[in-house]
Amino acid sequence: MSQAAGFLVTVSFDELWNAVAGAGLGGRVREDAQARQEFLDHHKDLEGLYQRAASAGHAVVKAVWA
């Protein structure tokens, strides 16, 4: 299992959420429950992506254009 996949499996979403929410989300103001659910959905999607990639022996490359 890759380091990223291992991290996402073992990290507590609630701890991550508290760190993000505690620092302020910024951007549009949304209800906390809705924002939390969106972040949880993204977290689960990332878990799946990294686990599938690790199982197949593939790497995940993230590119950001700003």
Side-chain angles (χ1 to χ4, degrees), residues 31-58:
E31 291 186 29
D32 285 344
Q34 179 185 356
R36 186 184 187 288
Q37 186 59 51
E38 288 179 19
F39 275 82
L40 179 58
D41 292 343
H42 290 301
H43 180 79
K44 287 180 180 179
D45 289 345
L46 283 175
E47 276 183 4
L49 170 71
Y50 280 95
Q51 286 176 0
R52 288 188 305 277
S55 294
H58 297 155

Side-chain angles (χ1 to χ4, degrees), residues 3-49:
Q3 289 179 336
F7 171 78
L8 288 170
V9 168
T10 60
V11 70
S12 161
F13 175 78
D14 289 327
E15 288 180 27
L16 291 174
W17 175 251
N18 290 336
V20 170
L25 295 173
R28 296 183 326 183
V29 175
R30 295 182 281 179
E31 291 186 29
D32 285 344
Q34 179 185 356
R36 186 184 187 288
Q37 186 59 51
E38 288 179 19
F39 275 82
L40 179 58
D41 292 343
H42 290 301
H43 180 79
K44 287 180 180 179
D45 289 345
L46 283 175
E47 276 183 4
L49 170 71

